[in-house]
Amino acid sequence: ACKSHLENVAPVLKKYGFNATFFICRFNDEWRKKNQKHLLTGKEIKELSDMGITDLAICGMGGELIARIIEDAPHLKEDGVRLILQPMTKQEHLRRFLVESGFSVIDERFSFDSGKYYATMVAEYSGVVRQLSDAVFDLGFDLSHHGDRVEYLGYLEGKRKAIQKALNGKIKGGLDTEREEELLRLID
């Protein structure tokens, strides 16, 4: 997010009682270094939250990086802060991090763009740490909710192919394949 969001946009939104979603984006290192003075710091992102900005979208980067951003920003655990998260990779890592860090995933939807399927999650901090199966982390939350959605079925097909590839590699290497076999049974 840009500093102008904090300096110019947020005060106007607050003055007139409007809500907004601010996007936290990842920039390549070269661009970020050149433009660092225009980007919000973690402290400034907290200022947005303190002004009543409740929705933060963190999108277009890997699930591991999104998890680190959340972990480094404890104010995201404050009441009323909603996170909109769209990991490009490592969705299972982000799901596990959220659940084990006390966040509740209140919705997860799937989309298709440029030949790839993506998961988008909405999460809020509840403080409740739940124990879930690895299948939930690997395949998504509330499987029955998405069962008839074309995008989710496409997402699962992509997962099935990746799991099958991992299974074949483990078979060739003489490694345990129980996890992959269980996931494939759940998908099929």
Side-chain angles (χ1 to χ4, degrees):
C2 300
K3 288 189 186 289
S4 64
H5 294 164
L6 176 64
E7 296 163 353
N8 303 318
V9 177
V12 172
L13 291 169
K14 185 174 181 180
K15 178 179 177 180
Y16 293 103
F18 290 110
N19 294 319
T21 299
F22 287 89
F23 290 85
I24 311 301
C25 303
R26 180 173 187 262
F27 300 99
N28 69 48
D29 290 338
E30 182 181 326
W31 189 94
R32 189 174 34 80
K33 285 176 188 173
K34 263 183 11 187
N35 295 283
Q36 189 67 41
K37 65 183 178 186
H38 301 293
L39 301 177
L40 290 175
T41 64
K43 182 180 176 188
E44 291 167 328
I45 292 171
K46 178 168 178 8
E47 287 181 48
L48 281 175
S49 181
D50 290 345
M51 294 175 81
I53 305 301
T54 58
D55 293 355
L56 288 171
I58 308 173
C59 306
M61 56 195 84
E64 292 168 325
L65 180 56
I66 292 173
R68 276 200 318 268
I69 290 169
I70 295 168
E71 191 171 42
D72 291 344
H75 63 280
L76 297 179
K77 291 182 176 181
E78 292 176 5
D79 192 38
V81 174
R82 185 173 39 207
L83 302 174
I84 301 147
L85 311 169
Q86 190 277 303
M88 302 294 281
T89 61
K90 303 289 185 181
Q91 297 89 356
E92 64 283 350
H93 178 86
L94 182 58
R95 289 183 190 109
R96 183 179 302 277
F97 167 81
L98 291 168
V99 168
E100 292 177 354
S101 299
F103 286 87
S104 293
V105 175
I106 56 178
D107 199 5
E108 182 173 34
R109 300 294 170 131
F110 298 85
S111 58
F112 181 77
D113 186 53
S114 300
K116 294 185 180 184
Y117 289 92
Y118 299 98
T120 302
M121 301 164 220
V122 179
E124 295 176 342
Y125 185 73
S126 65
V128 176
V129 176
R130 298 181 301 155
Q131 299 296 318
L132 299 175
S133 73
D134 285 341
V136 171
F137 300 129
D138 286 323
L139 305 177
F141 292 99
D142 192 9
L143 301 178
S144 63
H145 173 74
H146 303 292
D148 61 345
R149 298 202 47 228
V150 171
E151 294 86 357
Y152 183 60
L153 294 175
Y155 177 83
L156 283 180
E157 180 59 22
K159 285 289 188 183
R160 188 191 65 69
K161 288 177 182 176
I163 293 165
Q164 185 65 55
K165 184 176 179 180
L167 175 75
N168 293 342
K170 285 186 170 185
I171 290 170
K172 285 181 183 177
L175 301 173
D176 180 44
T177 60
E178 183 179 345
R179 181 171 179 265
E180 289 78 12
E181 290 171 5
E182 175 61 22
L183 289 171
L184 289 174
R185 274 193 296 277
L186 289 171
I187 292 172
D188 292 335

